[in-house]
Amino acid sequence: MSYSKNFRIVRGQECPADPCAALQELAVQNYGPSSALPASLLRGWYEKNTTIFRIAMTSENLVAGYISSLPLIPTIFERTLDPDFKEKFITAQDIDTSLCSSDGGVFISSIVVAPEYQKHTPTSLLLRLALIDDLIRECSRENQTVRISAQTLSTKGEVCMESLGLKACGFTTTGWKIYYGKLGRAGLHRVRKELQQKISARFKRAG
């Protein structure tokens, strides 16, 4: 598949309808039914803060992928760095209503891309860039740094987190890598430039 397909990024607050069922279905395709979070949990998060999702849509209005980033209150964000933490522990009450909490942090819950778009499109890169663009706008207004954490199980996940300026800082009790980063305005702009360069290179290789 070439890059002839056009992608657009839709923010959660721009969705005309609740996207959670479609996103959960995509997660099942990638992780399996036993590992994907239930749609009811995603919906609880989304109803508390609609900005948590960035969704890649094709020109045919198909969901190609999404990134889920949860702005968490301080006590819960700190727990995301604990070895026994699991994202299913997060409740709607733990989510801040801003894009990124000034005293908490952002937990990247998922980056999911449909299997048919994983190898030959820049979907994952576009989703990561959308997140960084949003954080830059938010932090520019507030003149703040943003703390980001995540857990990864695969090499692909590790590459994604490192591209966002995060570094491995430990392991969960189940063997997942824990990632953490603290980025100010300069760091966010550096990450954006690097993502833009990678996207440009992918398009050039595709001709």
Side-chain angles (χ1 to χ4, degrees):
M1 183 183 297
S2 70
Y3 287 116
S4 59
K5 232 179 237 304
N6 293 321
F7 291 87
R8 71 184 191 280
I9 303 298
V10 177
R11 271 68 177 178
Q13 65 271 30
E14 300 166 349
C15 293
D18 180 349
C20 297
L23 302 187
Q24 196 267 348
E25 182 178 343
L26 189 58
V28 169
Q29 292 179 29
N30 280 261
Y31 304 138
S34 62
S35 298
L37 296 174
S40 58
L41 182 59
L42 300 181
R43 188 168 295 111
W45 295 348
Y46 179 70
E47 289 174 351
K48 180 65 177 292
N49 187 339
T50 58
T51 68
I52 65 173
F53 297 130
R54 286 145 199 86
I55 305 167
M57 304 290 295
T58 70
S59 55
E60 290 83 10
N61 288 321
L62 300 174
V63 176
Y66 73 92
I67 184 169
S68 171
S69 59
L70 309 179
L72 299 176
I73 62 176
T75 53
I76 303 303
F77 179 79
E78 297 296 341
R79 286 199 60 204
T80 66
L81 304 175
D82 292 343
D84 60 350
F85 179 79
K86 296 180 181 179
E87 62 180 339
K88 66 181 180 181
F89 295 161
I90 300 172
T91 68
Q93 288 71 35
D94 301 326
I95 296 177
D96 192 271
T97 54
S98 66
L99 181 62
C100 59
S101 171
S102 60
D103 52 359
V106 176
F107 177 70
I108 299 177
S109 171
S110 300
I111 301 178
V112 181
V113 176
E116 61 268 34
Y117 299 113
Q118 289 181 7
K119 288 187 177 180
H120 305 294
T121 76
T123 306
S124 177
L125 286 166
L126 291 170
L127 290 167
R128 283 175 266 160
L129 179 60
L131 171 61
I132 293 298
D133 280 342
D134 289 346
L135 291 175
I136 286 174
R137 281 192 291 271
E138 184 80 3
C139 291
S140 293
R141 286 197 296 267
E142 302 295 334
N143 194 28
Q144 69 181 64
T145 58
V146 56
R147 297 192 298 165
I148 305 173
S149 66
Q151 297 177 350
T152 67
L153 184 60
S154 67
T155 301
K156 287 183 180 178
E158 293 171 9
V159 170
C160 285
M161 294 309 114
E162 290 167 4
S163 76
L164 293 173
L166 278 61
K167 294 183 179 180
C169 62
F171 289 90
T172 70
T173 54
T174 54
W176 293 51
K177 266 191 182 179
I178 301 170
Y179 276 80
Y180 173 79
K182 186 175 182 179
L183 300 175
R185 186 181 302 176
L188 289 168
H189 278 277
R190 183 189 70 252
V191 168
R192 178 167 69 175
K193 183 178 180 180
E194 291 172 353
L195 289 171
Q196 289 172 333
Q197 290 172 340
K198 289 176 181 178
I199 291 170
S200 178
R202 291 286 295 272
F203 276 106
K204 286 180 181 177
R205 286 202 301 271

